[in-house]
Amino acid sequence: MDLSLDTRHEGGHTIIEVGGEIDVYTAPKLRDKITELVGNGEYNLVIDMEKVDFLDSTGLGVLVGGLKKVRAHDGSMRLICNQERLLKIFRITGLAKVFVIHGSQADALAEH
């Protein structure tokens, strides 16, 4: 399974729509995209994970690393995730308390 990344801008945020599997093989692609965006001065990221089928510890590490990158510039990273199996991973690892997780793009973009 491959990883698809589509980036767009809306309401002062950069949205990365992620699809497929975020694992040891594909996570570097997401990490590189986040690094590229932060390098271009985009510090308010929304990671849309509605089309993600699988997430492993490597993927979690990339998300944590991305959060650290944007916070270093007083930015933010919000996640969009409404799949119980993925939300469970965030709860079990304690990362549900680290990330702001929304159920939809509308919710993620509405909060300031």
Coordinates of all heavy atoms in Angstrom, one line a residue, residues 10-53:
E10 N -6.2 26.6 3.5 CA -7.6 27.1 3.8 C -7.6 27.8 5.2 O -7.1 27.2 6.2 CB -8.6 25.9 3.8 CG -10.0 26.3 4.0 CD -11.0 25.2 3.8 OE1 -10.8 24.3 3.0 OE2 -12.0 25.2 4.5
G11 N -8.1 29.0 5.2 CA -8.3 29.7 6.5 C -7.0 29.8 7.3 O -7.1 29.7 8.5
G12 N -5.9 30.1 6.7 CA -4.7 30.3 7.4 C -4.0 29.0 7.8 O -3.0 29.0 8.6
H13 N -4.5 27.9 7.4 CA -3.9 26.6 7.7 C -3.5 25.9 6.5 O -4.1 26.1 5.4 CB -5.0 25.7 8.5 CG -5.3 26.2 9.8 ND1 -6.3 27.1 10.0 CD2 -4.8 25.9 11.0 CE1 -6.4 27.3 11.3 NE2 -5.5 26.6 12.0
T14 N -2.5 25.0 6.6 CA -2.1 24.1 5.5 C -2.7 22.7 5.9 O -2.4 22.2 6.9 CB -0.6 24.1 5.4 OG1 -0.2 25.4 5.2 CG2 -0.2 23.2 4.2
I15 N -3.5 22.2 5.0 CA -4.1 20.9 5.2 C -3.4 19.8 4.4 O -3.2 20.0 3.2 CB -5.6 20.9 4.9 CG1 -6.4 22.0 5.7 CG2 -6.2 19.5 5.0 CD1 -7.8 22.3 5.2
I16 N -3.0 18.8 5.1 CA -2.4 17.7 4.4 C -3.4 16.5 4.5 O -3.6 16.0 5.6 CB -1.0 17.2 5.0 CG1 0.0 18.4 5.1 CG2 -0.4 16.1 4.2 CD1 1.2 18.1 5.9
E17 N -3.9 16.2 3.3 CA -4.9 15.0 3.3 C -4.0 13.8 3.1 O -3.4 13.6 2.0 CB -5.9 15.2 2.3 CG -6.9 16.4 2.6 CD -8.0 16.5 1.6 OE1 -8.0 15.8 0.5 OE2 -8.8 17.4 1.8
V18 N -4.1 12.9 4.0 CA -3.2 11.7 4.0 C -4.2 10.5 3.7 O -5.2 10.3 4.3 CB -2.5 11.4 5.3 CG1 -1.6 10.3 5.2 CG2 -1.8 12.7 5.7
G19 N -3.7 9.6 2.8 CA -4.5 8.4 2.5 C -3.6 7.2 2.4 O -2.4 7.3 2.0
G20 N -4.1 6.1 2.8 CA -3.3 4.8 2.7 C -2.8 4.4 4.1 O -3.4 4.6 5.1
E21 N -1.5 3.9 4.0 CA -0.9 3.4 5.3 C 0.3 4.2 5.6 O 1.1 4.5 4.8 CB -0.5 1.9 5.0 CG -1.6 1.0 4.7 CD -1.1 -0.4 4.6 OE1 0.1 -0.7 4.6 OE2 -2.0 -1.3 4.4
I22 N 0.3 4.6 6.9 CA 1.5 5.3 7.4 C 2.3 4.3 8.2 O 1.9 4.0 9.4 CB 1.1 6.5 8.3 CG1 0.1 7.4 7.6 CG2 2.3 7.3 8.7 CD1 -0.4 8.6 8.5
D23 N 3.3 3.8 7.6 CA 4.1 2.7 8.3 C 5.6 3.0 8.1 O 6.0 4.0 7.6 CB 3.7 1.4 7.8 CG 3.9 1.2 6.3 OD1 4.7 1.9 5.7 OD2 3.3 0.2 5.8
V24 N 6.4 2.0 8.5 CA 7.9 2.2 8.4 C 8.4 2.5 7.0 O 9.4 3.2 6.8 CB 8.6 0.9 9.0 CG1 8.4 -0.3 8.1 CG2 10.1 1.2 9.2
Y25 N 7.6 2.1 6.0 CA 8.0 2.3 4.6 C 7.6 3.6 4.0 O 8.2 4.2 3.2 CB 7.5 1.2 3.7 CG 8.0 -0.2 4.2 CD1 7.1 -1.1 4.8 CD2 9.3 -0.6 4.0 CE1 7.5 -2.3 5.2 CE2 9.8 -1.8 4.4 CZ 8.9 -2.7 5.1 OH 9.3 -3.9 5.5
T26 N 6.4 4.1 4.5 CA 5.8 5.3 3.9 C 5.9 6.5 4.8 O 5.8 7.6 4.3 CB 4.3 5.1 3.6 OG1 3.6 4.8 4.8 CG2 4.1 3.9 2.6
A27 N 6.2 6.3 6.1 CA 6.3 7.5 7.0 C 7.3 8.5 6.6 O 7.0 9.7 6.7 CB 6.5 7.0 8.4
P28 N 8.4 8.1 6.0 CA 9.4 9.2 5.6 C 8.8 10.2 4.6 O 9.2 11.3 4.6 CB 10.6 8.4 5.0 CG 10.5 7.1 5.7 CD 9.0 6.8 5.9
K29 N 7.9 9.7 3.8 CA 7.3 10.6 2.8 C 6.5 11.7 3.5 O 6.5 12.9 3.1 CB 6.3 9.8 1.9 CG 5.7 10.5 0.7 CD 4.9 9.6 -0.2 CE 4.2 10.3 -1.3 NZ 3.4 9.3 -2.1
L30 N 5.7 11.3 4.6 CA 5.0 12.3 5.3 C 5.9 13.2 6.1 O 5.7 14.4 6.1 CB 4.0 11.6 6.3 CG 3.2 12.5 7.2 CD1 2.3 13.5 6.5 CD2 2.3 11.6 8.2
R31 N 7.0 12.6 6.7 CA 8.0 13.4 7.4 C 8.6 14.5 6.5 O 8.7 15.7 6.9 CB 9.0 12.6 8.0 CG 10.1 13.3 8.8 CD 11.3 12.5 9.2 NE 12.0 12.1 7.9 CZ 12.4 10.9 7.7 NH1 12.2 9.9 8.6 NH2 13.0 10.6 6.5
D32 N 8.9 14.1 5.3 CA 9.5 15.0 4.3 C 8.6 16.1 3.9 O 9.0 17.3 3.8 CB 10.0 14.3 3.1 CG 11.2 13.3 3.4 OD1 11.8 13.4 4.4 OD2 11.5 12.5 2.5
K33 N 7.3 15.8 3.8 CA 6.3 16.8 3.4 C 6.1 17.8 4.6 O 6.1 19.0 4.3 CB 4.9 16.1 3.1 CG 3.8 17.1 2.9 CD 4.1 18.1 1.8 CE 4.0 17.5 0.4 NZ 4.2 18.5 -0.7
I34 N 6.1 17.3 5.8 CA 5.9 18.3 7.0 C 7.2 19.1 7.1 O 7.1 20.4 7.2 CB 5.7 17.5 8.3 CG1 4.3 16.8 8.2 CG2 5.9 18.4 9.5 CD1 4.1 15.8 9.4
T35 N 8.4 18.5 6.9 CA 9.6 19.3 6.9 C 9.7 20.4 5.9 O 10.1 21.5 6.1 CB 10.8 18.3 6.8 OG1 10.8 17.4 7.9 CG2 12.1 19.1 6.8
E36 N 9.2 20.0 4.7 CA 9.2 20.9 3.5 C 8.2 22.1 3.8 O 8.6 23.3 3.6 CB 8.7 20.2 2.3 CG 8.4 21.1 1.1 CD 7.7 20.4 0.0 OE1 7.9 19.2 -0.2 OE2 6.9 21.0 -0.7
L37 N 7.1 21.8 4.4 CA 6.1 22.9 4.7 C 6.6 23.8 5.7 O 6.5 25.1 5.6 CB 4.7 22.3 5.1 CG 4.0 21.5 3.9 CD1 2.8 20.8 4.5 CD2 3.5 22.5 2.9
V38 N 7.2 23.2 6.8 CA 7.7 24.1 7.9 C 8.9 24.9 7.4 O 9.0 26.1 7.7 CB 8.1 23.2 9.1 CG1 8.8 24.0 10.2 CG2 6.9 22.6 9.7
G39 N 9.7 24.3 6.5 CA 10.8 25.0 5.9 C 10.3 26.2 5.1 O 11.1 27.2 4.9
N40 N 9.1 26.1 4.5 CA 8.5 27.2 3.7 C 7.7 28.2 4.6 O 7.1 29.0 4.0 CB 7.6 26.6 2.6 CG 8.4 25.9 1.6 OD1 9.6 26.1 1.4 ND2 7.7 25.0 0.9
G41 N 7.8 28.0 5.9 CA 7.2 29.0 6.8 C 5.7 28.7 7.1 O 5.0 29.6 7.5
E42 N 5.3 27.5 6.8 CA 3.9 27.1 7.1 C 3.9 26.3 8.4 O 4.4 25.2 8.5 CB 3.4 26.3 6.0 CG 3.4 27.1 4.7 CD 2.9 26.3 3.5 OE1 1.9 25.6 3.6 OE2 3.5 26.4 2.4
Y43 N 3.4 27.0 9.5 CA 3.5 26.5 10.8 C 2.1 26.1 11.4 O 2.1 25.6 12.6 CB 4.1 27.5 11.8 CG 5.4 28.1 11.2 CD1 5.7 29.4 11.2 CD2 6.4 27.2 10.8 CE1 6.9 29.9 10.7 CE2 7.7 27.7 10.3 CZ 7.9 29.0 10.3 OH 9.1 29.5 9.8
N44 N 1.1 26.2 10.7 CA -0.3 25.8 11.2 C -0.8 24.7 10.3 O -1.4 25.0 9.3 CB -1.2 27.0 11.3 CG -0.8 28.0 12.4 OD1 -0.6 27.6 13.5 ND2 -0.6 29.2 11.9
L45 N -0.5 23.5 10.7 CA -0.8 22.3 9.9 C -2.0 21.6 10.4 O -2.2 21.5 11.6 CB 0.4 21.4 9.9 CG 1.7 21.9 9.4 CD1 2.8 20.8 9.4 CD2 1.6 22.6 8.0
V46 N -2.8 21.1 9.5 CA -3.9 20.2 9.8 C -3.6 18.9 9.0 O -3.5 18.9 7.8 CB -5.3 20.8 9.4 CG1 -6.4 19.8 9.7 CG2 -5.5 22.1 10.2
I47 N -3.5 17.8 9.8 CA -3.3 16.5 9.1 C -4.6 15.7 9.1 O -5.1 15.3 10.1 CB -2.2 15.7 9.9 CG1 -1.0 16.5 10.3 CG2 -1.9 14.4 9.2 CD1 -0.2 16.9 9.1
D48 N -5.1 15.6 7.9 CA -6.4 14.9 7.7 C -6.2 13.4 7.5 O -5.7 13.0 6.5 CB -7.2 15.5 6.5 CG -8.6 15.0 6.4 OD1 -8.9 13.9 6.9 OD2 -9.4 15.6 5.6
M49 N -6.5 12.6 8.5 CA -6.3 11.2 8.5 C -7.5 10.4 8.2 O -7.5 9.2 8.5 CB -5.6 10.8 9.8 CG -4.3 11.5 10.1 SD -3.6 11.1 11.7 CE -3.4 9.4 11.6
E50 N -8.5 11.0 7.7 CA -9.8 10.3 7.4 C -9.6 9.1 6.5 O -10.4 8.2 6.5 CB -10.9 11.3 6.9 CG -11.4 12.2 8.0 CD -12.5 13.1 7.5 OE1 -12.2 14.1 6.8 OE2 -13.6 12.8 7.7
K51 N -8.7 9.2 5.6 CA -8.5 8.1 4.6 C -7.3 7.2 4.9 O -6.8 6.5 4.0 CB -8.3 8.7 3.2 CG -9.6 9.5 2.7 CD -9.4 10.1 1.4 CE -10.6 10.9 1.0 NZ -10.3 11.9 0.0
V52 N -6.8 7.3 6.1 CA -5.7 6.5 6.5 C -6.2 5.1 6.9 O -7.1 5.0 7.7 CB -4.9 7.1 7.7 CG1 -3.8 6.2 8.3 CG2 -4.2 8.4 7.2
D53 N -5.6 4.1 6.4 CA -6.0 2.7 6.7 C -5.2 2.1 7.8 O -5.7 1.1 8.4 CB -5.9 1.8 5.4 CG -6.7 2.3 4.2 OD1 -7.9 2.7 4.5 OD2 -6.2 2.4 3.1

